[in-house]
Amino acid sequence: MPTTQHISIDTERCIGSGQCALTAPKTFTQDDDGFSALLPHAEDAPADPLAREAARACPVQAITVAED
């Protein structure tokens, strides 16, 4: 069975740098105010190594990726 991951964004911490959307555009986007948001299918999706890289790229560490 493929590994899945759960992604969460701490919206209080996010500063809208956009690094997540640049690093993993199939997982992250930016909302109308420029803050990080998950694409609809991404919260509990098959593991995407770019999502973990996006979490590392976040300058304020607002993204958490947990694999099941």
Side-chain angles (χ1 to χ4, degrees):
M1 185 154 106
T3 303
T4 59
Q5 61 189 6
H6 176 76
I7 302 168
S8 61
I9 301 168
D10 182 341
T11 56
E12 296 293 316
R13 184 174 273 204
C14 179
I15 60 171
S17 73
Q19 293 303 306
C20 57
L22 290 172
T23 304
K26 292 182 180 179
T27 303
F28 298 95
T29 189
Q30 289 180 283
D31 66 16
D32 292 339
D33 294 322
F35 294 103
S36 181
L38 287 172
L39 291 170
H41 68 280
E43 186 174 350
D44 291 300
D48 175 4
L50 291 178
R52 193 166 288 287
E53 184 60 33
R56 283 192 288 269
C58 180
V60 294
Q61 300 166 343
I63 300 168
T64 302
V65 178
E67 292 186 10
D68 294 333

